[in-house]
């Protein structure tokens, strides 16, 4: 399970990095852009996700005796939250505006678990837990930053200056803590909400490679043609 | 200015014998201004520092400078910056020869850590192609500065097969080899020179009072989560630690007097501030800027401390300023506040190994002269 997550993250990271290194993104004004919209649905029964039992007594005051597992979050009809959708290797389009994000640590979980933003945006890491965490962020296998968060009220800012998938974990005994931040060179990405839907607006007309990633279910790819002012729909299913 | 730096650099590389490097090293601020011989920056700060119930004792700058003139000094700022391309090319060429002779048997001719001798070593040689370096003065995840690499070459890594090259190679050769090993990873060319974090230029007295305060820092910042309450590396999280390649790693046993990053107080200070890249050890840089409001819930500590210990901890926390007050301080005073706590921690951690025992202290003094 864990290896699968790592492999998925690694593949996604490699794919992103390679595609973006080879083709630098060109910002321009998009006139008569189209929209890519759709949803991600989990078919079948959601996997059992038992809460993690906290056995180390030094962790209990901050974490409680159990910590909920929020790897797979589904809404009504199996609609899947926390899937990242993006146009892969897009060469030109609207400028990627800075979109600062916050990554909180609350009850020994990262909140939100899955985020996406643009390159050179700032992430503010905070902690509300009265115990040691360390936010260990890796891009591929390399540490991007590893910051001690010894108690609640600590806030640290970092700039995300490389595109790719950042995986975050905590080494301070909270082995279940996981989060991902997808960093893009372009603005064509979305993260599905509780209703499992996504919308990517202002897309330059043409054929695009769209990818959907989920921490547990890996990557799906589809070629999607966007017409000027039109809407293309992809209702994806995972199982 | 640039011309000057270039000329000095060129002079050093082409003609200077080893000792010249130290003569041209920029001296620290205390030494620059002989009219203010004591470390007044530190003492001034303590007057306005809300937490300064116990002023940190600082050795007179004169002594500190004397100490710095020996082996204990930070490696000199040897590299002229921005570096001249001709100078750099010459350095790399020389560095390649030095590397082939002294380094490649372990680190490999391609720098991948797979030299012919590597398999006989108790600790695997660093893979220099990864561009990940443990011992730095830079932010977590960043590349090291040239001075960082030079320091590691000079002092080696105690407790591992990596020897100290100080005294075996000239400073010029060591600088050259640093320039050469930077070519093994594309990161150096891609990212450019990293910005060092603020580091102190002198070591204060690490006395009994500092050790006592440092123990509370060790407890509060929860170093014991990995390193254990007794400092032997047996903390509750120690068993689950993995490095960036997913291999199990151990938390440092501070009772052993072989810290790989170096055994000087400054080496501990630096590692604590910048973290150890590639390992779970995080950077405690901005993380120190937290006041008593951050520690309003001490439930975690009740699990590991006795009643007396808790009482002492509560007293110590109550004497801390608020987080907001710390952020409201001018940058220099905030740094000073954090710096004092780091030194206190260093004093405590060194006491675990007897690293600042009387004899050790005496030895380090005489060694400096």
């Amino acid at each position: 399970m864990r290896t699968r997550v790592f492999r998925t993250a690694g593949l996604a990271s490699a794919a992103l990095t390679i595609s973006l290194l080879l083709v630098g993104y060109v910002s321009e004004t998009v006139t008569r852009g189209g929209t890519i919209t759709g949803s991600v649905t989990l078919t079948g029964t959601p996997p059992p996700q038992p809460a993690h039992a906290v056995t180390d007594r030094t962790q209990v005051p901050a974490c409680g005796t159990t910590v909920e597992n929020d790897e797979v979050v589904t809404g009504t009809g199996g609609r899947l939250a926390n899937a990242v959708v993006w146009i892969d290797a897009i060469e030109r389009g609207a400028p990627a505006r800075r979109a600062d994000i916050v990554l909180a640590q609350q009850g020994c979980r990262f909140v939100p678990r899955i985020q996406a933003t643009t390159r050179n945006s700032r992430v503010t890491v905070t902690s509300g837990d009265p115990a040691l965490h360390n936010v260990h962020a890796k891009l591929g296998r390399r540490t991007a930053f590893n910051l001690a968060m010894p108690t609640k009220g600590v806030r640290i800012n970092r700039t995300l200056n490389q595109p790719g998938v950042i995986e975050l974990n905590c080494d301070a005994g909270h082995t279940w803590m996981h989060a991902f931040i997808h960093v893009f060179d372009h603005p064509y990405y979305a993260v599905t909400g509780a209703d499992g839907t996504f919308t990517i607006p202002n897309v330059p007309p043409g054929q695009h490679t769209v990818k959907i990633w989920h921490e547990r279910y890996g990557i799906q790819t589809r070629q999607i043609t966007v017409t000027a002012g039109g809407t293309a729909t992809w209702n994806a299913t995972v199982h | 200015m640039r011309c000057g730096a270039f000329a000095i650099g060129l002079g050093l590389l082409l003609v200077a014998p080893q000792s010249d490097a130290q003569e041209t090293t920029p001296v620290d601020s205390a030494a620059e201004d002989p009219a203010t011989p004591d470390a007044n920056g530190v003492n001034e700060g303590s007057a306005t520092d809300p937490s300064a119930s116990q002023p940190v004792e600082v050795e007179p700058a004169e002594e500190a400078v004397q100490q710095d003139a020996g082996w204990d000094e930070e490696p000199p700022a040897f590299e002229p910056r921005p570096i001249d391309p001709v100078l750099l090319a010459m350095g790399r060429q020389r560095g390649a020869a030095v590397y082939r002779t002294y380094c490649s048997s372990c680190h490999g001719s391609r720098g991948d850590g797979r030299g012919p001798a590597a398999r006989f070593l108790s600790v695997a040689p660093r893979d220099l192609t990864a561009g990940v370096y443990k011992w730095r003065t830079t932010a977590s995840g960043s590349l090291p500065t040239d001075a960082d690499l030079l320091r590691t070459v000079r002092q080696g890594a105690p407790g591992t097969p990596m020897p100290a090259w100080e005294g075996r190679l000239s400073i010029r050769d060591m600088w050259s080899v640093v320039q050469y090993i930077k070519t093994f990873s594309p990161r150096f060319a891609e990212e450019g020179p990293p910005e060092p974090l603020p580091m102190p230029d002198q070591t204060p007295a690490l006395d009994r009072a500092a050790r006592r305060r440092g123990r509370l820092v060790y407890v509060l910042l929860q170093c014991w989560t990995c390193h254990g309450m007794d400092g032997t590396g047996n903390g509750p999280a120690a068993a689950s630690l993995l490095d960036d390649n997913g291999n199990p790693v151990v938390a440092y046993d501070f009772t052993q007097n072989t810290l790989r990053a170096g055994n000087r107080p400054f080496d501990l200070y630096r590692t604590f501030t910048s973290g150890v890249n590639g390992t779970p050890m995080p950077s405690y840089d901005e993380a120190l800027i937290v006041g008593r409001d951050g520690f309003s819930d001490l439930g975690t500590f009740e699990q590991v401390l006795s009643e007396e210990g808790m009482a002492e901890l509560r007293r110590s926390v109550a004497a801390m300023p608020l987080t907001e007050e710390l952020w409201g301080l001018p940058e220099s005073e905030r740094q000073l506040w954090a710096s004092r706590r780091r030194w206190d921690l260093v004093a405590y951690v060194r006491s675990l190994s007897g690293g600042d025992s009387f004899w050790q202290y005496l030895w380090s003094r005489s060694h400096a002269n």
Side-chain angles (χ1 to χ4, degrees):
Chain A
M1 177 47 227
R2 205 177 152 99
T3 32
R4 184 172 161 185
V5 169
F6 283 128
R7 199 165 55 229
T8 318
L11 280 175
S13 164
L16 269 173
T17 313
I18 290 167
S19 55
L20 290 171
L21 277 179
L22 293 177
V23 193
Y25 182 73
V26 180
S27 296
E28 60 185 20
T29 309
V30 177
T31 47
R32 303 264 303 147
T35 302
I36 299 173
T37 185
S39 62
V40 185
T41 304
L42 175 68
T43 59
T45 326
Q49 296 190 100
H52 185 92
V54 179
T55 49
D56 176 357
R57 69 190 163 87
T58 66
Q59 292 177 351
V60 172
C63 310
T65 50
T66 57
V67 178
E68 183 199 332
N69 182 351
D70 56 353
E71 187 187 4
V72 178
V73 178
T74 49
T76 46
R79 291 298 182 86
L80 187 62
N82 282 343
V84 182
V85 187
W86 73 96
I87 301 179
D88 194 43
I90 186 166
E91 289 171 27
R92 50 207 315 132
R97 304 214 182 279
R98 187 171 141 179
D100 292 346
I101 55 173
V102 175
L103 178 69
Q105 292 157 103
Q106 202 70 50
C108 299
R109 280 165 48 193
F110 285 116
V111 184
R113 184 175 177 120
I114 309 293
Q115 296 189 83
T117 187
T118 51
R119 185 182 195 172
N120 294 327
S121 297
R122 191 179 64 195
V123 57
T124 302
V125 188
T126 66
S127 177
D129 291 344
L132 176 70
H133 289 305
N134 68 316
V135 182
H136 193 160
K138 280 176 240 172
L139 193 61
R141 273 189 167 179
R142 191 167 83 207
T143 294
F145 52 82
N146 179 5
L147 310 168
M149 308 287 286
T151 193
K152 62 184 180 183
V154 180
R155 295 172 74 85
I156 302 181
N157 294 319
R158 279 291 179 275
T159 302
L160 303 167
N161 50 17
Q162 284 196 60
V165 181
I166 295 178
E167 179 174 359
L168 300 114
N169 69 295
C170 173
D171 302 298
H174 308 122
T175 49
W176 59 87
M177 287 178 74
H178 262 108
F180 291 84
I181 301 173
H182 291 238
V183 184
F184 295 98
D185 250 357
H186 57 78
Y188 298 112
Y189 62 84
V191 182
T192 59
D195 62 354
T197 63
F198 63 89
T199 301
I200 301 175
N202 203 21
V203 179
Q207 198 183 49
H208 297 287
T209 304
V210 179
K211 287 185 189 277
I212 295 178
W213 171 98
H214 186 272
E215 177 181 351
R216 185 184 178 99
Y217 299 107
I219 289 187
Q220 291 189 24
T221 306
R222 180 173 283 197
Q223 299 298 317
I224 289 180
T225 304
V226 175
T227 55
T231 298
T233 307
W234 180 11
N235 290 316
T237 54
V238 299
H239 54 87
Chain B
M1 182 62 207
R2 271 186 186 196
C3 283
F6 170 65
I8 291 171
L10 193 65
L12 282 173
L13 190 74
L14 296 180
V15 295
Q18 193 175 332
S19 59
D20 275 16
Q22 283 163 7
E23 286 167 25
T24 52
T25 303
V27 281
D28 63 44
S29 56
E32 254 175 350
D33 186 357
T36 54
D38 51 44
N40 56 352
V42 173
N43 293 332
E44 254 172 31
S46 66
T48 47
D49 183 346
S51 74
S53 51
Q54 300 158 304
V56 175
E57 290 172 38
V58 176
E59 293 174 12
E62 222 170 292
E63 266 183 71
V65 171
Q66 238 177 39
Q67 190 181 8
D68 280 352
W71 161 235
D72 261 9
E73 75 170 322
E74 255 301 271
F78 190 75
E79 179 197 338
R81 190 190 281 187
I83 193 161
D84 179 76
V86 177
L87 201 66
L88 189 62
M90 288 167 66
R92 279 189 191 146
Q93 204 177 5
R94 187 184 179 89
V98 175
Y99 183 88
R100 268 197 306 279
T101 312
Y102 298 102
C103 316
S104 63
S105 56
C106 295
H107 291 283
S109 55
R110 282 178 298 224
D112 56 6
R114 296 180 179 197
R119 65 197 176 98
F120 303 111
L121 302 179
S122 54
V123 178
R126 182 123 305 260
D127 173 1
L128 305 169
T129 63
V132 175
Y133 287 90
K134 289 181 168 178
W135 306 310
R136 298 158 293 100
T137 54
T138 60
S140 172
S142 298
L143 290 168
T145 63
D146 286 11
D148 290 335
L149 292 170
L150 187 59
R151 182 193 314 106
T152 302
V153 173
R154 291 179 85 178
Q155 70 185 25
T160 81
M162 172 72 179
W165 293 96
E166 180 77 5
R168 307 186 199 196
L169 292 174
S170 70
I171 187 98
R172 178 168 62 155
D173 282 350
M174 290 190 285
W175 179 84
S176 299
V177 90
V178 163
Q179 299 311 318
Y180 180 66
I181 63 174
K182 281 165 65 185
T183 64
F184 285 129
S185 164
R187 279 192 80 187
F188 287 96
E190 283 164 14
E191 296 177 28
E195 203 54 47
L197 300 170
M199 289 285 163
D201 46 20
Q202 51 189 311
T203 303
L206 305 176
D207 54 14
R208 185 189 290 263
R211 287 199 293 274
R212 195 177 170 80
R213 292 191 301 269
R215 185 173 185 279
L216 288 164
V217 176
Y218 187 91
V219 170
L220 266 188
L221 297 184
Q222 295 148 79
C223 308
W224 50 266
T225 301
C226 297
H227 297 284
M229 282 304 263
D230 60 0
T232 58
N234 65 351
S240 63
L241 298 176
L242 302 173
D243 69 12
D244 280 6
N245 293 321
N247 299 318
V249 285
V250 295
Y252 239 106
D253 176 352
F254 292 127
T255 63
Q256 301 290 314
N257 200 6
T258 51
L259 292 162
R260 290 182 187 177
N263 285 322
R264 299 172 307 168
F266 175 74
D267 296 315
L268 269 168
Y269 184 103
R270 190 188 63 239
T271 304
F272 177 54
T273 309
S274 62
V276 182
N277 282 353
T279 80
M281 174 65 193
S283 152
Y284 283 81
D285 183 16
E286 299 106 306
L288 267 82
I289 312 301
V290 58
R292 64 174 181 270
D293 44 324
F295 296 101
S296 56
D297 177 352
L298 296 175
T300 300
F301 304 98
E302 284 166 6
Q303 307 298 316
V304 288
L305 289 183
S306 65
E307 267 178 46
E308 300 89 77
M310 282 304 294
E312 198 185 347
L313 192 69
R314 284 200 191 91
R315 275 198 301 278
S316 162
V317 167
M320 286 167 79
L322 291 166
T323 306
E324 201 175 89
E325 287 169 356
L326 285 168
W327 282 113
L329 289 172
E331 169 73 18
S332 59
E333 283 178 42
R334 189 166 60 241
Q335 289 287 352
L336 186 67
W337 190 85
S339 179
R340 277 203 196 126
R341 294 175 73 79
R342 290 196 191 100
W343 279 127
D344 288 346
L345 181 75
V346 168
Y348 174 67
V349 167
R350 278 171 67 81
S351 73
L352 294 172
S353 67
D356 63 348
S357 68
F358 175 72
W359 293 110
Q360 182 91 18
Y361 182 75
L362 202 66
W363 180 83
S364 73
R365 303 303 301 175
S366 60
H367 188 63
N369 296 328

